[in-house]
Amino acid sequence: MDFKRFLINFLSSFLIVLKRSVGLISDPYKTMRKISMERDSYQLFIIAGLIFVYFKFIYFLRDKIYPATFIYLIFVADFLTMVGFFYLMTKFIGSRKNKKEISFISFIFTFAYSLLPTLIWFLSTSVLYVFLPPPRTFSLLGKGFSIFFVTYSLSLFIWKLILIYLALRFSSKQNFFRIIYMIIFFLIWFIPYSVFLYQFKFFRIPFV
Amino acid sequence: MKNINFRMKQKMNEVFSIEPNDLGTGYLTSFFKKTTSYLKTMPFIYVIPFTFFISIFMYFVLGRFLIKLVTILQYGF
């Protein structure tokens, strides 16, 4: 009976994740506002599970220096550090009324959903690595593919920026300038940290 | 009727959960609101042509470096 209830909850959460993912493409503002009020923890496990499956998949394509689970744990630590940083920043710069309104779980949900463009880009790049392995050539097809790939990557990057901004807007409830300050403060420590991750061959491009 | 009122109240709370953005000057605020209104629904309609134009521009400016950049990015996962 308990397993039946778990299965129903899991499947309904899975459908909500799908609906929200489509919503983030077609209607990011309204969807992110709804996500910031979400409290269904199954959705977080589904997103975390999808990312875990991705790390298991790319283990076979990478140099196999570190186990996939270890890389996944580094990602989880990075994610929680990033979310914790923005949460504490909001606590630090927010007004007294604002401090009562914000919740850590809202940050977790919005940032978890903002991983969607990252997951799509990393997954599609790894699949392309199999079917169209680099290096790219200077032929007409090579140039055409390069323009397509840059367009695709930039589009997902802009989508990611929109989602990160909305995640911060609805979780922290701060105005535009304060959100930009928070992102600048985040980049001050995150860029050197990304170089560290690259040097130790954990990630070439950080998965955030 | 009670249910409709409850849902209406819930929706109002959702919509007014954050204060509107104010960038200091009226011109900046209205420019910001106009620009972001295009990104609130179906942003890809504007984003994809914009990034395609940027990519073509980058190809003409960077030339072969763009192709090398794509090779590096393809190893980036």
Side-chain angles (χ1 to χ4, degrees), chain A residues 185-199:
Chain A
F185 277 115
F186 169 71
L187 290 177
I188 286 172
W189 68 265
F190 190 75
I191 291 171
Y193 178 65
S194 303
V195 176
F196 164 81
L197 290 175
Y198 178 79
Q199 288 292 330

Side-chain angles (χ1 to χ4, degrees), chain A residues 25-29 33-34 37 54 58 61 121-122 125-126 129 132 134-138 143 146-147 149-151 154-155 158-159 165 169-170 173 175-177 204-205, chain B residues 11 13-15 17-24 28 32 39-44 47-48 50-52 54-56 58-59 64 66-68 70-71 73-77:
Chain A
I25 297 168
S26 61
D27 217 343
Y29 188 84
R33 191 169 62 199
K34 282 200 176 92
M37 292 164 183
Y54 162 74
I58 60 151
L61 302 175
W121 189 83
F122 275 77
T125 308
S126 52
Y129 183 83
L132 284 167
R136 298 269 63 83
T137 60
F138 298 107
K143 286 172 187 171
S146 298
I147 289 169
F149 190 79
V150 171
T151 306
L154 273 177
S155 299
I158 292 174
W159 186 34
Y165 172 76
R169 178 90 173 111
F170 289 113
K173 300 180 194 310
N175 63 24
F176 176 74
F177 287 125
R204 291 191 184 113
I205 297 172
Chain B
K11 191 73 191 167
N13 284 339
E14 189 187 310
V15 171
S17 63
I18 48 168
E19 286 175 23
N21 257 320
D22 183 12
L23 302 193
L28 259 180
F32 177 79
L39 301 174
K40 284 180 180 175
T41 42
M42 297 300 266
F44 283 103
V47 168
I48 291 171
F50 174 72
T51 52
F52 182 68
I54 295 284
S55 308
I56 297 285
M58 278 172 77
Y59 174 71
R64 289 185 161 212
L66 184 81
I67 289 135
K68 283 180 184 166
V70 169
T71 304
L73 279 175
Q74 274 207 279
Y75 285 112
F77 61 91

Side-chain angles (χ1 to χ4, degrees), chain A:
Chain A
M1 193 65 185
D2 276 347
F3 178 74
K4 198 176 171 185
R5 183 178 287 176
F6 166 78
L7 197 68
I8 290 166
N9 286 342
F10 181 83
L11 287 175
S12 54
S13 298
F14 187 75
L15 287 176
I16 293 170
V17 170
L18 283 182
K19 193 185 162 196
R20 297 261 195 266
S21 304
V22 173
L24 287 175
I25 297 168
S26 61
D27 217 343
Y29 188 84
K30 276 184 192 169
T31 312
M32 197 54 100
R33 191 169 62 199
K34 282 200 176 92
I35 291 167
S36 70
M37 292 164 183
E38 197 61 75
R39 294 295 178 268
D40 172 27
S41 55
Y42 281 92
Q43 292 175 40
L44 290 178
F45 288 114
I46 289 164
I47 295 168
L50 287 172
I51 293 168
F52 183 70
V53 170
Y54 162 74
F55 278 111
K56 281 285 181 192
F57 166 65
I58 60 151
Y59 174 73
F60 300 103
L61 302 175
R62 287 170 59 141
D63 304 332
K64 297 184 178 66
I65 297 172
Y66 303 106
T69 312
F70 179 64
I71 297 289
Y72 177 73
L73 289 176
I74 288 177
F75 150 73
V76 173
D78 288 353
F79 177 78
L80 290 176
T81 310
M82 182 177 81
V83 173
F85 173 81
F86 283 119
Y87 176 71
L88 290 176
M89 275 287 284
T90 311
K91 282 272 183 196
F92 184 66
I93 63 170
S95 62
R96 191 175 287 176
K97 183 194 162 204
N98 186 261
K99 278 176 192 171
K100 282 180 188 171
E101 284 177 350
I102 60 162
S103 72
F104 187 65
I105 198 77
S106 174
F107 277 85
I108 294 271
F109 270 98
T110 51
F111 276 87
Y113 271 95
S114 70
L115 286 171
L116 191 67
T118 314
L119 183 64
I120 293 172
W121 189 83
F122 275 77
L123 191 64
S124 55
T125 308
S126 52
V127 170
L128 278 172
Y129 183 83
V130 177
F131 292 106
L132 284 167
R136 298 269 63 83
T137 60
F138 298 107
S139 67
L140 190 67
L141 277 175
K143 286 172 187 171
F145 178 80
S146 298
I147 289 169
F148 160 76
F149 190 79
V150 171
T151 306
Y152 173 71
S153 302
L154 273 177
S155 299
L156 282 182
F157 181 66
I158 292 174
W159 186 34
K160 174 81 185 175
L161 289 180
I162 294 170
L163 295 190
I164 285 285
Y165 172 76
L166 291 175
L168 280 170
R169 178 90 173 111
F170 289 113
S171 304
S172 70
K173 300 180 194 310
Q174 300 295 319
N175 63 24
F176 176 74
F177 287 125
R178 283 189 175 179
I179 290 170
I180 296 298
Y181 294 148
M182 283 200 278
I183 292 172
I184 290 169
F185 277 115
F186 169 71
L187 290 177
I188 286 172
W189 68 265
F190 190 75
I191 291 171
Y193 178 65
S194 303
V195 176
F196 164 81
L197 290 175
Y198 178 79
Q199 288 292 330
F200 283 87
K201 296 186 176 175
F202 291 126
F203 292 104
R204 291 191 184 113
I205 297 172
F207 192 98
V208 287

Side-chain angles (χ1 to χ4, degrees), chain B residues 5 10 13 16 19 24 26 28-29 33 45 47 60-61 71-72 74:
Chain B
N5 280 341
Q10 215 176 17
N13 284 339
F16 293 105
E19 286 175 23
L28 259 180
T29 308
K33 282 185 178 169
I45 291 176
V47 168
F60 284 117
V61 172
T71 304
I72 294 166
Q74 274 207 279

